[in-house]
Amino acid sequence: MERAAVPPLSSVAICGGTHGNELTGVYIVKEMQKQKTDKVGSVSITTVVTNPRALDAGTRYTEMDLNRCFTDVLLSSPVTESSPYELRRAQELNAQLGPKGSAEAVDLLIDLHNTTANMGLCLIFYSIDWITLHIYKHIQNKMSSVPVRAIQLDIPISDAYSLESVGKHGFAIEVGPQPNGVLRADIFNMVKEAVDLTLAWLQEFNSGRSYEGGTVEAYTFVRSVDYPRDSAGKITAAIHQDLQDNDFKLLRSGDPIFQTFSGETLKYDGEDLYPFFVNECAYYEKKIAFHLAQRKTFSFPSIRVKKD
Amino acid sequence: MERAAVPPLSSVAICGGTHGNELTGVYIVKEMQKQKTDKVGSVSITTVVTNPRALDAGTRYTEMDLNRCFTDVLLSSPVTESSPYELRRAQELNAQLGPKGSAEAVDLLIDLHNTTANMGLCLIFYSIDWITLHIYKHIQNKMSSVPVRAIQLDIPISDAYSLESVGKHGFAIEVGPQPNGVLRADIFNMVKEAVDLTLAWLQEFNSGRSYEGGTVEAYTFVRSVDYPRDSAGKITAAIHQDLQDNDFKLLRSGDPIFQTFSGETLKYDGEDLYPFFVNECAYYEKKIAFHLAQRKTFSFPSIRVKKD
């Protein structure tokens, strides 16, 4: 591929608390605010605790999942004072950090999340974005304390529902396992390292360093699997202990996936795929026991900042 | 010590969901109800999901912590329809399974809990109760899948605030780590094994088998340690990663206990003690980062059922 010239990345937003019970991002953001980290070299930094009501309530959200509100349709829907808090908040955030798809949007938006699944550190992104792929490769090369992976959601950006889609470039950093409502120092340190590596990369990029192209492995979402349920919709099984904590370990036909409460083992029947978000707390209500992905190789070109 | 003759233990209550987001007990109890497990040999079994409103809400409690409502004072306080739901529910449970301290109370009450702390399987009990100590030793001898420990809270039974104090004998089974709102098969299986071992022990005891006396190690609560907090009461540090997941590992002066959000390590200064409930989710609001305990040896006599 050709070498690409990319405009400078001079504004970045670091967001946390989009889900109010995922605490790592909240405390990363609050500490940056306390330290008044609003500029690092050539990069201006906006830090936002995005769902303060849910944070105060100690819940994922108060009326609707904020991180499902950033589609074009929802961002342009009329709101009144009786609209769900999170829908109104999404439009506020879009005005502050976007508007999504516009020239005014922040150059890079990073939203910090946690999961109860054993996923290590994952970047989640939508389109095949060279900047995200370069930063992903950089973080993966530099961090040794945790497996670093990426997940691509193949959704048009207009339908992309999560906050990071508001930036010109953007990704979520999803780290686990961490229980909701709990803050672990090891995970705090991992996320801080990933944020610091990203900020350092942005500065070097803006200063004119060129980055070689290459390839990187990432996972692409294929489908979700729900828990077995009874006629009333109640779950009748837990994730099997052979699958629990084994996110990103290839699942093959015949592998155990559920254990019913009466002790029966239920097995996987399907094509070889990689499970992730295995036993994520918030997904019981979304009827998702785990997602399945393919692993793919993504190519990206050499890049360098575009001169004025 | 002498051999003691103890009345038969013919009624047992197995309770779950006292905290509505601790799911293992909920699903153990619901499965026993589905299987209509209301009698095992000589033992009649009552199963109760104790806080159904909190379970439906996916929260620990709705208005006040149910498992702090079983003191004599609260159980005898007048209630109206405007009293907190959990206070009214505690009095209902006391009528159903007690009354606490009376001849009508169930012989043994087991309440099933989870923690986000890495505590393995712990029995928690109040008074020095021979039956509990015998059952503890039995479970400890039989289970190899998890460390089995016990914690004694040295509180007069009248002030004992948790549900298990309603039975003539009683203990909580506290198992972790498991995030709130998540059900893990490995932990489900551990708790089921402990319940089954207890029911089998009760039957053998009732049938006349004598059990030798002996000693067992258990932990006695000494004091709690809060997180460092700022003037607004907000935490300024997380549990240090050297302490995280190291419940019941002796803590000595100079050992790291907290990492501040700016990266400083705070060290323990005090007598050698054993930490437990390290980074329990529900204890942030109770201003407890971890508890500290001494380890003690408890003696118990040989026992046998009292003949009619």
Side-chain angles (χ1 to χ4, degrees):
Chain A
M1 277 189 273
E2 295 288 303
R3 180 176 304 271
V6 177
L9 300 162
S10 49
S11 64
V12 61
I14 313 283
C15 300
T18 297
H19 295 132
N21 54 11
E22 300 176 7
L23 296 186
T24 306
V26 172
Y27 287 98
I28 295 274
V29 164
K30 286 190 170 183
E31 184 62 22
M32 292 178 82
Q33 292 173 341
K34 191 174 164 194
Q35 305 283 346
K36 304 193 191 305
T37 314
D38 53 4
K39 185 127 186 128
V40 176
S42 56
V43 183
S44 73
I45 302 172
T46 304
T47 49
V48 191
V49 175
T50 48
N51 195 339
R53 277 202 197 171
L55 175 61
D56 287 346
T59 55
R60 181 176 175 91
Y61 59 84
T62 65
E63 297 183 276
M64 63 187 287
D65 190 334
L66 176 60
N67 215 32
R68 299 295 181 274
C69 291
F70 295 93
T71 62
D72 281 3
V73 168
L74 288 175
L75 288 178
S76 60
S77 68
V79 295
T80 66
E81 284 198 5
S82 63
S83 299
Y85 167 72
E86 277 84 4
L87 187 57
R88 289 180 285 135
R89 185 71 185 131
Q91 296 195 5
E92 285 174 13
L93 290 163
N94 188 49
Q96 180 184 359
L97 304 174
K100 177 171 170 173
S102 78
E104 290 73 43
V106 289
D107 293 322
L108 176 64
L109 197 157
I110 302 174
D111 197 27
L112 306 177
H113 287 264
N114 293 117
T115 173
T116 60
N118 185 28
M119 282 171 55
L121 191 147
C122 277
L123 271 59
I124 304 181
F125 62 100
Y126 289 97
S127 54
I128 298 173
D129 178 272
W130 298 337
I131 296 297
T132 296
L133 292 173
H134 269 280
I135 293 173
Y136 167 40
K137 184 123 195 181
H138 179 68
I139 294 174
Q140 197 177 54
N141 287 342
K142 294 285 183 181
M143 283 187 73
S144 57
S145 58
V146 60
V148 176
R149 302 182 183 94
I151 295 160
Q152 192 229 0
L153 303 174
D154 193 12
I155 298 174
I157 203 74
S158 58
D159 296 337
Y161 45 73
S162 51
L163 174 58
E164 62 271 18
S165 70
V166 167
K168 286 198 192 76
H169 309 272
F171 50 86
I173 299 181
E174 182 77 63
V175 192
Q178 180 171 272
N180 292 340
V182 164
L183 185 68
R184 290 180 62 102
D186 51 358
I187 287 181
F188 180 92
N189 294 342
M190 287 170 197
V191 175
K192 184 166 191 318
E193 186 179 358
V195 169
D196 288 348
L197 285 168
T198 302
L199 293 175
W201 188 92
L202 292 174
Q203 282 200 74
E204 293 210 353
F205 172 79
N206 287 343
S207 71
R209 179 170 161 182
S210 66
Y211 289 85
E212 287 307 302
T215 61
V216 74
E217 302 277 296
Y219 296 83
T220 59
F221 174 83
V222 174
R223 63 190 169 89
S224 303
V225 176
D226 188 16
Y227 292 91
R229 294 179 189 265
D230 64 19
S231 56
K234 303 290 185 187
I235 64 170
T236 58
I239 296 287
H240 194 279
Q241 58 188 13
D242 288 359
L243 175 58
Q244 177 72 49
D245 303 329
N246 281 318
D247 300 72
F248 300 109
K249 186 185 158 203
L250 189 64
L251 189 66
R252 300 171 188 276
S253 263
D255 288 345
I257 50 175
F258 295 111
Q259 176 194 308
T260 70
F261 299 137
S262 54
E264 195 189 350
T265 294
L266 306 182
K267 294 181 176 175
Y268 177 65
D269 178 20
E271 58 179 326
D272 293 1
L273 289 169
Y274 295 88
F276 67 104
F277 277 121
V278 174
N279 208 352
E280 158 57 32
C281 179
Y283 287 1
Y284 284 76
E285 71 173 21
K286 295 185 198 294
K287 300 194 185 303
I288 298 166
F290 53 91
H291 287 319
L292 289 169
Q294 289 180 314
R295 193 161 66 188
K296 284 191 181 167
T297 301
F298 290 82
S299 300
F300 49 87
S302 302
I303 60 169
R304 187 166 188 168
V305 71
K306 188 183 284 178
K307 298 277 167 63
D308 292 331
Chain B
M1 277 190 272
E2 296 288 302
R3 179 177 305 270
V6 178
L9 300 162
S10 50
S11 64
V12 60
I14 313 285
C15 300
T18 298
H19 294 133
N21 54 12
E22 300 177 6
L23 297 186
T24 307
V26 171
Y27 286 98
I28 294 275
V29 164
K30 286 190 170 184
E31 184 62 22
M32 291 178 82
Q33 291 173 342
K34 192 174 163 193
Q35 305 284 344
K36 303 193 191 306
T37 313
D38 54 4
K39 185 124 187 132
V40 176
S42 56
V43 184
S44 73
I45 302 171
T46 305
T47 49
V48 191
V49 174
T50 49
N51 195 338
R53 277 201 198 172
L55 174 62
D56 286 346
T59 56
R60 181 176 176 90
Y61 58 84
T62 64
E63 296 184 275
M64 63 187 287
D65 190 333
L66 176 61
N67 215 33
R68 299 295 180 275
C69 291
F70 294 93
T71 62
D72 281 3
V73 167
L74 288 175
L75 288 178
S76 61
S77 68
V79 295
T80 67
E81 283 199 5
S82 63
S83 299
Y85 167 71
E86 277 85 3
L87 186 59
R88 289 180 284 135
R89 185 71 186 130
Q91 296 195 4
E92 285 173 12
L93 291 164
N94 189 48
Q96 180 184 358
L97 304 174
K100 177 171 170 173
S102 77
E104 290 73 43
V106 290
D107 293 321
L108 177 64
L109 198 158
I110 302 173
D111 197 27
L112 306 177
H113 286 264
N114 294 116
T115 173
T116 59
N118 185 28
M119 283 171 54
L121 190 147
C122 278
L123 272 59
I124 304 181
F125 62 100
Y126 288 97
S127 54
I128 298 173
D129 178 272
W130 298 338
I131 297 296
T132 296
L133 292 173
H134 269 282
I135 293 172
Y136 167 38
K137 185 123 194 179
H138 180 67
I139 294 173
Q140 198 177 53
N141 286 342
K142 293 286 183 180
M143 282 187 75
S144 57
S145 58
V146 60
V148 176
R149 302 182 184 93
I151 296 161
Q152 192 228 1
L153 302 174
D154 193 12
I155 298 173
I157 203 75
S158 58
D159 296 338
Y161 46 72
S162 51
L163 173 58
E164 62 272 18
S165 70
V166 167
K168 287 199 191 77
H169 309 272
F171 51 85
I173 299 182
E174 183 77 65
V175 192
Q178 180 171 274
N180 292 340
V182 164
L183 185 68
R184 290 180 61 102
D186 51 359
I187 288 182
F188 179 92
N189 294 342
M190 288 170 197
V191 175
K192 184 166 192 316
E193 186 179 358
V195 169
D196 288 347
L197 285 168
T198 302
L199 294 174
W201 188 94
L202 291 174
Q203 282 200 75
E204 291 211 352
F205 172 78
N206 288 343
S207 70
R209 179 169 161 182
S210 66
Y211 288 85
E212 287 306 303
T215 61
V216 74
E217 301 277 297
Y219 296 83
T220 60
F221 174 83
V222 174
R223 62 190 170 88
S224 303
V225 177
D226 188 16
Y227 292 91
R229 293 177 188 266
D230 64 18
S231 56
K234 303 289 185 188
I235 64 170
T236 58
I239 296 287
H240 193 279
Q241 59 188 13
D242 289 359
L243 176 57
Q244 177 71 48
D245 303 329
N246 280 318
D247 300 72
F248 300 110
K249 186 185 157 202
L250 189 64
L251 190 66
R252 300 172 188 275
S253 264
D255 288 344
I257 51 175
F258 294 111
Q259 176 193 308
T260 71
F261 299 137
S262 54
E264 195 189 350
T265 295
L266 306 181
K267 294 181 175 176
Y268 178 63
D269 178 19
E271 58 179 326
D272 292 2
L273 289 169
Y274 295 88
F276 67 104
F277 277 121
V278 174
N279 208 352
E280 159 55 34
C281 179
Y283 287 1
Y284 283 76
E285 71 174 20
K286 295 186 198 293
K287 300 194 186 302
I288 298 165
F290 53 91
H291 288 319
L292 289 168
Q294 290 180 313
R295 192 161 65 187
K296 284 192 182 167
T297 302
F298 290 82
S299 300
F300 49 86
S302 301
I303 59 170
R304 187 167 187 166
V305 72
K306 188 183 286 178
K307 299 275 166 67
D308 292 331

